[in-house]
Amino acid sequence: MGKVTGFLDFDRVELESREVLDRLDDWNEIGTPGEVKTLQEQAARCMDCGIPFCHTGINMGKGPGVSGCPLNNMIPDWNDLIYQNRWQEALQQLHKTNNFPEFTGRVCPAPCEGSCVLGINSKPVTIKSIECEIVDRGFEEGWINPEIPDKRTGKKVAIIGSGPAGLACAAQLNRAGHTVKVFERADRIGGLLVYGIPNMKLDKKKILQRRLDQMTAEGIIFETGVEIGKDIPAANLLNLFDAVVVCIGATKPNNFLQNIPGHDLNGIHFAMEFLTGNTKSFLDSEHTDNNYISARDRHTIVLGGGDTGTDCVGTALRHGCKSIHQFDVIPKPPLERLQDNPWPQWPAVYKLDYGQKEAKAVFGADPRRYKTSTVEFLNDSFGNIKAIRTIDLDWAAPDKGVPFSPIKGSEQEWPADLVLLAMGFTGPEETVLEQLKLERDPKTNIKAKDSTYSTNVKGVFAAGDARRGQSLVVWAIQEGRSAAREVDRYLMGNTNLP
Amino acid sequence: MRKFQGLYHPSYDHDACGVGVLANLNGYKSHDIIRNAIQVLENLGHRGACGCDPATGDGAGLMFQIPHAFFRKECQLINISLPEVEEYGIGMVFLPRDSKNRVWCEQKVEQTVLAESQVFMGWRDVPTDANQIGELAKRTSPFIRQFFVKRGKNIENREQFERKLYVIRKVIESAIYQELSGDDFYIVSLSSKTIIYKGLLRADQLGSFYDDLNDEMIVTALALVHSRYSTNTLGSWQLAHPYRMLCHNGEINTIRGNKNWMHSRECSLSSALFGDDITKLSPIIHEGASDSAGFDSVLELLVSAGRSLPHALMMMIPEAWENCEVMPDNKKAFYEYQSCLLEPWDGPALIAACDGNRICTTLDRNGLRPFRYVVTNDDFVVGASEAGVLDIDPEKIIDRGRLEPGRLFLVDTERGCLVADEKIKYEISSSKPYRKWVSNNMINLEDLPISSATPGYDKKLLREHQQAFGYTNEELEILLSPMATEGDEPIGSMGNDTPLAVLSNKPQLLFHYFKQLFAQVTNPPLDAIREKLVTSLASSIGPRNDLLTETPEHCRQVRISRPVLTNTELSQIQSLNYDDLKSKTLPMLFRKTSLSDALEVAVNELCIKASRSIREEGVTVLILSDRGMDRDWIQIPSLLATSAVHHHLIREGLRDQASIVVETGEPREVMHCCLLIGYGATALNPYLALETVRSIASDGLIDCDGTIAQENLIKALCKGILKTMSKMGISTIRSYHGAQIFEALGIQQKVIEKYFTWTNSRIEGIGLQEIEIEYRKHHSQGYPDRPLPHSPLLEDGGYYKWRADGEYHQFNPQSVALLQNSTRLGDYQIFRQFTDSIDSQSQHLGTLRGLFQFKKVQHSVPIEEVEPVQEIVKRFSTGAMSFGSISKEAHETLAIAMNRIGGRSNSGEGGEDQERFDPDSNGDWRNSNIKQVASGRFGVTSHYLVNATDLQIKMAQGAKPGEGGQLPGHKVLEDIARVRNSTPGVGLISPPPHHDIYSIEDLAQLIQDLKNANDKARIHVKLVSEVGVGTVAAGVAKGKADVVLISGYDGGTGASPESSMKHTGVPWELGLAETQQILVQNNLRGRIVVQADGQMKTGRDVAMACLLGAEEFGFATAPLVVTGCIMLRKCHLNTCSVGVATQDEKLRKNFSGKPEAVINFMMFIAQQLREHMAMLGFRTVDEMVGRSDCIEPKLAINHWKAKGLDFAKMLTTIRVPEHFARYCCEVQDHQLEVKLDRRLIKDSKESIEKGSPVQLNYSIQNTDRTIGAMLSAEVSRKYGERGLPKNTIQVKLKGAAGQSFGAFLAGGISLSLEGETNDYTGKGLSGGIISVFPPFKVNFTAADNVITGNVALYGATRGQAFFCGRAGERFGVRNSGAEAIVEGVGDHGCEYMTGGRVVVLGSVGRNFAAGMSGGIAYVLDEGGVFSTLCNRESVDLEPLVNPEDLSELLRLIETHVHYTGSVRGKEILGSWSETRTKFVKVMPVDYKKVLLSKILERGTKVETN
């Protein structure tokens, strides 16, 4: 390790973001690259633990949160390299476990930091910023070039879906010498990376594109605008390819509110509809085509407290919404870990994410309201949403199998012109699954073994949210890589892929 | 051979003992010598031991000259008419009791005598009286007869006759041992000069058993006696000493290698003196012979073949000549010449040998055994392991002395005098032109031409090779980089929790299937740093010629200064091409495409090539090389190739004709190098490791250039090799070479027998096929069939730190989190998840116990009927972790927790703050009930010892057995310094050995000392599991310890060299099973509690330990994790972020551990144990102990490597009589009631109660040991650390005091002795005053007289000691506060001293002040040579000018004169103004710095005031 006493000598420094009010004027990324010296000092805080919990990637608590990095990023190793100013080697180490550190370095909620040993009694190492800087610098310095395999195996693999799982899978399989074709029904490659995540969090033209360029140069064939199951019958792939990997994500949105009055009013949209349209319009025309749902001058309410909800908040603010609120049914998380949520579990604590921070800067308060459930969407009598009515929940009084009960008399009305539903996703869409006759698990995800990623149909594999259900980008990459390893083993009888 | 039950094998036995020699210098024979010899034997009785049945001793014996008149008389009675003196020889024989076998043996004897053309004269029954000997001795006693052989006509002279008798004995033995074992037939002696009477007897039984010895007609001028202490008690008559030529006290550590080399030499022996008879001598050493017997056999061979007795002893136990600058050149040349013939027999040894006319005694180069002698004015000499073994009128004494390290003591009755060491060695070393021979024939490596340039590496090739040889990132970072930068072995912490190689899922290097053995109890490890002068890494390459002759060509060899070679040096060896020195390189590779068994075929071919090269091409240096490894060729494991060739050549009788040098990419850590050397390589060139560090350096990753990095790496490896050797107590690489000091863990017996012959391997395991698979896997890393495009990175490794795709660790993110959370929340369900994660090792075979399952052999019982958790936890203790290695907070939390539940916490070795001895006001008690006594003896005072229920002698610790420790100055904070009696800021050293334990009888002495120091405490002995630990445990039980702790090799620690943590010792499962089996078998189990520890974490672990034989259990790492440790593994850096293992004030604030969590842990473990007990049907722990029948190997082990393991021996239930105990149910009889101290206490009762002064007088002898300790305990209990006012209890004594005189003597007590003392005087002196002076009427100069033995004032903390006379080795070792004056000392004076004052008014030996870090010594340097004798690495020598110093010295000398009446002292005072200028002040550098800064500090304070 670099500096034995680094964690005593330096405090954690959050890397600079752009001024909140400045950044709301554009769609550029909110972060700025860190100063080298600061980053080296921050890397020096790493204690190079005998057990680096940051590098673990397993579920340890009761909740869904993961402890440490699902990709098992070699965090202490590259922290040390950065401290020693050995960026290129750090990049190699980083790429050894992660095909796309520039994505995770931007959008990952960083469970690594949540389980950082230093976090027990101090502030964790700024792992995510360091990761991001390593790869960004790698691109700038020209260290990241196409890695073209010496020999081709002659085996062909089709990958359905070009989200993080599909891309990671494609990259790995291609390097193992297979001929890989990626099918994407949208007009752009990237799935969630391109349309699910707004540009201020992940820049499409620069950050995403340079990686796609590298992959294309390595020989991966991308087919956009082709929907398997519609344009090409899924079963046909089985004849055309030696293996098929289904990475279609979990795109069916949850809608807990479909039975409450007014749910079909105009102005109520799923978050993805809102976000996708916005990004597409931005990329196509810098929003000049107006082909998106705008929150401008509208009272906007986001239902759901996750990352997607935050993205809706950030996007709506940039549109110039009149007001913004975000409702969640759960209680406000504690400021510090509760006794039953000890380290190294994912810390279920209250945090101000970028969207909320921006909302607070504009409107003076965190837009989130907790223990709040929607009971009615109110009609402006033209079929448009006018307001929503909510009720507060009592989490101390569970009721009929649910952990809370409504508090009588706590109803409130909130003016609303735009309501965005960001309540998560239920699973993959059916078409491909049905055409390939793939079995599903009880949660409607594709049933594929943890160890082999193989489905009930020979030669068909599944990875990413389509298999494990809605999750983090980092898990998707992990699944894509692991599935690639298993596909390689399936095709060749052995594998050198990690 | 006998069949042995379970894990026991007799080759694990050790012994040690008391030795005595007696002689009349003029050769005048008398019966007095016999009588005195028996008296000496009885007075040495306490150095021997008794087994389970107190009447059976471990062995005693006596050798003397054949008393002609006696035998003539006796033979007349049985109608044998003996010829004249010297015309006949007598054989003393142990025969089978069974008459058919006996007659058969007798016929063999008679036939052989006749066949060798000598006259067989008849048999005599030796009269014996078995009434007084023990049951076991009786049961195994042989039929004892003597036979008489008359010199045949073909024999010309006496020497030739003696030689013939030797041949006859060898022939008889070979013939009979083909049919019978050594237990049934044994020739005690067969000689025309000497005869031996010995047996499985107690020292005091010899005279009554052999009636002959009481006959006044038995007269002799010489006698050797011996009293034996053996670790086992399975009776063996023939193992008593003397052997045919010698008695031995100590142990030969290198015996395996010495035997191998002798074996390989047998074919090449030739001697004109023997002629054709030479072929009849094989085997020179019988397989299975003990180290002493083996030594005896070779000594006998050398002497029979014409070398004199001292010459032969100088060859076998050379003194430390390599680094000795003052040695005469001819002597040095002699030793160098001999080193080309014979490797040293290394180890602690006092050898007393007799050739009929001379007695020659020699001591090993380290001087690790005591020998004291007295010469009288009537030409009588008596020497023995102790002073005072014979009551001699002081007025008759003209010389009293001691044998010094590496010296000879020769009593020559032909010359009629004692011959001085210098004289005899001068005679021998100038008998031939050794210097000329050496200069003309030996070649220096650096003088050889450099052949071709070594092949270069580019980055890609380097990476490929690194991968193909299995290098990991971690190895580069954790091992190689530090070695290349610092030239030192890297340090780590927190022990080892990864699986054994055979259980690992990762491909392993073959090296990792071996574990280093280490010295433990029966021999001491060495301090290769502070006692460097006795060590040597130099050796030579080339053939060895016949052992029995001496010619100039014998030393035609290439000198090398160290065993690790640079590429250039290797190329020089490759260039060797003379007629008599020729090298040849043999590739050790196999073809990748070859089919099954490729490895086996290749190894066998390599062996054949090797022997053919020697036979047909005259090659004398075989270079085994894997340089040719590439895509198509895979390396043969270098260890396999080396050892296979080594053993093949031994079997072919060719081994001596060529050296083996290994050129290999494989080795990169110390252990690897050690294995290659230990299995036969003289030198090795680790070219890939060298290339790797060069590239690390040239990439700028470390701060030095490539050449320096390589040099540093070699330096680090060599240091590590030396360290590894010293862990076993071996000083020179010549004797380590081929000594195989390893045990194999997880290798098939078949492989061992063929390629690693005579290596211990007890649980079977993998074969060559599995090894081949592993090496193919490594190779394919570098040369994959389908390479990926991006630049390949090395594997992470994950052996040292947890990594997701690295090696499995029992402590991993999940287990740590679950353990912490469950114990903090007190949640048994979560704790279950934790233990399940540890116990269910279906995917990861973490431990041996993980491969076992419980077997129900009886009905379960309801859990309510099982003893409650509150009772079970009393059997639990926490491990020894010193305050110093862990923080005060962590240390006290553990103590509070254990005291609340009635378990025990352990102080560790750093002493303990007195304020913890009494309970706090809130009811908590921070006292550690187990107080540890380790080699550093930090803060071990009488008061410390009385504040314990248990005293633990740490013989070794799991993480680094065989090593000492060092607490760097920056960690010695105020608090720590205070409890360790040292100076803040000054580093502290724990020596590798306890300097009062060099053998098993020494340990018995320390046990006795501690029992005296606190008679209410149980005495523990902590051992680390290794092969043979069971026999050591048996020795410990016989030494009267109350508890023996078997510790696993995997224990955690503050800091330890990485190679020690990973590669030394074995899991506790093996050691515990062996211990239980041997204790039960020897019927010793009932007397001693067995405790086990080592990475125990779950109730299942404890249950397994219990079933394997433990009744108490220790936990260390797990409770630390409970208090917050997260396995940062930074203990050695003082940066533990959770405040557990750090002294940093700021970090300690982060400590969040709570006693409640520790208690939860203990209770949960106990609860789990109860659940297992209920299931298995045990209501109490006692019932469960040692029930290995309730364990079976898991049925479905389908791990590809582990499936070859066989646990049958480990799980054997030992068949013994019903009444033999299986758990501790008796108490040891310490015989404290008969101690002199009981009288002292009685007689000073009033003083102790009221503090009133008293004066007492007694006379004593050498069997009165540890005088004063028990009395001190009484004082300390009542008066605490300070004791009574000075001189309150004054005890005047007369005589020779036994060992440990005045040990732990408390303040207020003074012992004044007119006479002399033995070893360990003033050990742990705690404030009392000791003075020793000779009687007034003596005929020698007191200042030249040795008055006290070795290791005086070891670990003394306070008080004063005055010796009117000289002391032995290691005077004042680790003194931390006492003041002492002595009139001369042996080697290593003031070693490791950290405080106090030592004044030496006479000459000193070598290596004075080694490792001294505190206190001051004043040495009177009259000869002006002191500076050459002083080890000046840590001290400055200054003239004595400071008035404060001078007045201090003056005061001390005046006090010395006051207490002892020293003539020397008076003389000095008389000429003070002149003499004072001759004193040198020895001042430790660090100590001076700290004192100076204090003075400055004080100065500034004054100024600011």
Side-chain angles (χ1 to χ4, degrees), chain B residues 249-313:
Chain B
N249 173 12
E251 177 149 315
I252 303 297
N253 305 328
T254 53
I255 185 65
R256 182 71 264 162
N258 297 121
K259 282 185 186 175
N260 286 355
W261 293 116
M262 263 330 285
H263 186 66
S264 68
R265 268 188 202 107
E266 281 171 8
C267 302
S268 63
L269 291 178
S270 77
S271 160
L273 293 172
F274 277 104
D276 294 342
D277 273 357
I278 198 91
T279 55
K280 296 175 185 164
L281 300 180
S282 295
I284 300 296
I285 306 174
H286 282 280
E287 190 49 40
S290 71
D291 56 345
S292 310
F295 191 98
D296 183 66
S297 304
V298 175
L299 184 66
E300 191 178 20
L301 173 72
L302 293 173
V303 172
S304 301
R307 287 188 173 90
S308 70
L309 182 58
H311 185 150
L313 283 172

Side-chain angles (χ1 to χ4, degrees), chain B residues 52 623 628 748 910 1222:
Chain B
C52 47
I623 301 170
Q748 228 172 52
R1222 275 190 302 101

